[in-house]
Structure formats: structure tokens, C-alpha cells
Amino acid sequence: MNTLLPESDLSNDLEPGLYIVATPIGNLGDITVRALGVLRGVSLIACEDTRVTGKLLKAHGISTRMQRYDDHASEETRARLLERARNVPVALVSDAGTPLVSDPGYRLVREARESGVTVTSIPGACAAVVGLTLSGLPNDRFLFAGFLPVKEKARADVLEELCAVDATLVFYETGPRLERSLRAIAQVWPQREVAVARELTKLHEECRSGIAADLADHYSEHPPKGEIVLLVGPPVESASKADPDALLREALSEMSASKAAKEVAKATGLDRQTLYARAVELRAE
Ligand code: SAM
């Protein structure tokens, strides 16, 4: 095992194979000694954008050859890379963070494994994990859900699907879309704690918490710059423990099914449509 070897030793004698190497998500210093050794020692670095990776290599005095690669690359390109990795070490990096996490590499790794090429992962920065650790939200269970869809209906469908998940939810987000996503979250989970983690590891790093509606108001007044991780805390304990039928029955004694569903959804963070369907059933009993 390569434990505690200095970088200079790691760059020598790398075995053939595909090395998945995590790179910084902002601060150029966030790269491991092992990652630098591998990037120095491989025969070729497959990367999303040679200009982006070139800057990182230059900052660390590494002159390894680069080749552009993403999952839209032709079968032939992939086959050539894998043939190379079978004989000599080849690294895969993305523009930032951990390759394959909302980044290219899935097909390459899958085919490497299927064809018996050794795959090694060199861990490092990942914005989802940095955001999670910074947010103060429960982290014993979390679900990484990538980017929310841009279209309203598709976004609402994804949020609906995630209603049943009893865990902190982690999304990747962009500045221009943040407010819309927060408004959509406010509709579905008005009570859940949300965190917006922005510009992680960079000069203007920020993590702001609150309920989605308040955060949406804030960011409509202060349009956010830079890269964002959006996190939604798990359903509030009272919601997961609450008996929705009991709450609905009580509400139905005073109001319509639709109003009852709205009130119980607000109080518990549970999905309004589902509560409405249940309210109609309870009323018919
Ligand atoms: N593979 C990367 C990783 O390991 O985090 C993620 C790549 S994905 C294409 C880019 C998204 O990651 C951004 O839109 C943003 O949501 C998130 N991200 C990347 N760097 C970030 C940073 N420094 N601060 C906040 N979010 C970041």
C-alpha cells in the first residue's frame, strides 16, 4: 500500500491502469500529495478542458500530456484510451472536484471495469460533500440528487418524488436558477431547513440557512454569483412522527379537503397533493 509515501516516490513506477483523480473545486491548494504524484507520473491525462486542467498542472509544475475527453467522445476514442490504460498509467480528471460526480467518466470507468483494466480512484474535493459538512444539516443520511431539471413540470416531478426520502437532500445549482429552485422547494417543503452553500473553498465562500421562501426573497434582492450547492434538511421530526390522518381528520372537521390538505402540508412539510387525496378518502369514510 502507498501509505505516507512522498509525492516524488508516488510518481515513479505507477502500475498501468486508469487513475480517477479529484482536483480542487476552487482553492488550488486542495489537491492531495498522492493526486499530484499520479498526475506527474501518468503517461496521459484525459480531461474535460485542456485549458482548465492546464492551469492546474502549471500551478504545480506538471508537464504531463493532456487529451480532451468527455462521455460524448466516440467509442473509438474511449477504446483507444482504455487500450492505453491497459499498458501504461492514464489519469482521468474533470474541470473541478471528483470526476463522475455530475461530471464525465461514467462510461469510461464502466468499460474499463468490464474489459479488465485496473481502475484506481484518488479521492479529494467534492462540492456536494463540502456543502454538506458546512451546512450544519443532519448528515447521517443524505441523498445527492445532482442538478434539478430546468423545466418547471420536470422540476416539480423530481421534488415530488423526493418527498418520501427521509434524509438531507443535496443538489447542484447555478446562480441564475437558484431563486426559481428555492420557490419550487418552498411550495413543496415550506417548513424544511434549507442551506445555500456558495463559492466553496474560494475567497467569497458563503453558507446561508433558512426556509426556502426567505432564501428566495434574499437571493431575489441579492442575485447570487458563482457556484452553488443547495441543501434541504430532512423532513422535520414532527412531520415524520406526526400522524397525518389524525391531523387531516381534525382539520376536516372545520374546513374543506383542499384547505385541510394545505394546512396539514404547511404544518408538516408533507406533500399537499398526497394529503389532498387522503383527505378526500377520509371524508368519504
Ligand atoms: N465534480 C464536481 C464535484 O466533485 O463537486 C461537480 C461538477 S458539476 C459539473 C459543477 C457543479 O458543482 C456546480 O454547478 C456547483 O453546483 C457545484 N460546485 C462546484 N464547485 C463549487 C464550489 N466551489 N462551490 C459551490 N458549488 C460548487
Side-chain angles (χ1 to χ4, degrees), residues 190-235:
Q191 307 289 324
R192 282 166 73 165
E193 186 182 347
V194 173
V196 174
R198 215 169 55 78
E199 291 290 81
L200 296 168
T201 77
K202 302 184 196 174
L203 187 62
H204 298 293
E205 178 174 284
E206 170 193 71
C207 186
R208 186 173 286 273
S209 308
I211 56 163
D214 291 349
L215 289 169
D217 290 346
H218 171 83
Y219 286 110
S220 110
E221 277 171 37
H222 307 93
K225 292 203 181 97
E227 299 186 285
I228 294 165
V229 181
L230 174 59
L231 304 105
V232 182

Side-chain angles (χ1 to χ4, degrees), residues 128-148:
V129 175
V130 179
L132 185 71
T133 53
L134 202 61
S135 67
L137 291 169
N139 51 49
D140 50 338
R141 281 159 63 92
F142 64 91
L143 185 134
F144 173 65
F147 288 92
L148 276 169

Side-chain angles (χ1 to χ4, degrees), residues 23-27 48 94-104 124-129 144 147 171-174 197-202 226-230:
T23 59
I25 56 166
N27 187 320
E48 268 188 285
S94 59
D95 281 354
T98 301
L100 284 86
V101 178
S102 290
D103 264 343
C126 175
V129 175
F144 173 65
F147 288 92
F171 301 97
Y172 281 163
E173 193 45 276
T174 65
R198 215 169 55 78
E199 291 290 81
L200 296 168
T201 77
K202 302 184 196 174
E227 299 186 285
I228 294 165
V229 181
L230 174 59

Side-chain angles (χ1 to χ4, degrees), residues 139-171:
N139 51 49
D140 50 338
R141 281 159 63 92
F142 64 91
L143 185 134
F144 173 65
F147 288 92
L148 276 169
V150 182
K151 293 203 172 130
E152 197 178 330
K153 167 82 169 69
R155 187 170 51 222
D157 287 349
V158 168
L159 293 179
E160 184 77 39
E161 188 188 324
L162 292 171
C163 276
V165 178
D166 187 10
T168 291
L169 306 173
V170 185
F171 301 97

Side-chain angles (χ1 to χ4, degrees), residues 43-119:
S43 67
L44 177 76
I45 300 172
C47 57
E48 268 188 285
D49 185 331
T50 53
R51 283 163 307 176
V52 174
T53 300
K55 277 190 202 152
L56 175 74
L57 298 188
K58 192 161 173 231
H60 292 283
I62 297 172
S63 54
T64 308
R65 192 157 80 79
M66 293 176 282
Q67 178 188 317
R68 202 176 164 282
Y69 174 81
D70 64 29
D71 281 333
H72 303 297
S74 64
E75 283 295 331
E76 201 188 324
T77 303
R78 209 166 13 257
R80 269 205 306 269
L81 268 176
L82 290 178
E83 197 42 44
R84 189 179 184 113
R86 189 182 297 286
N87 298 304
V88 287
V90 171
L92 170 74
V93 301
S94 59
D95 281 354
T98 301
L100 284 86
V101 178
S102 290
D103 264 343
Y106 167 75
R107 288 191 180 177
L108 189 67
V109 169
R110 200 164 169 84
E111 287 178 25
R113 293 179 59 84
E114 278 166 7
S115 60
V117 170
T118 307
V119 182

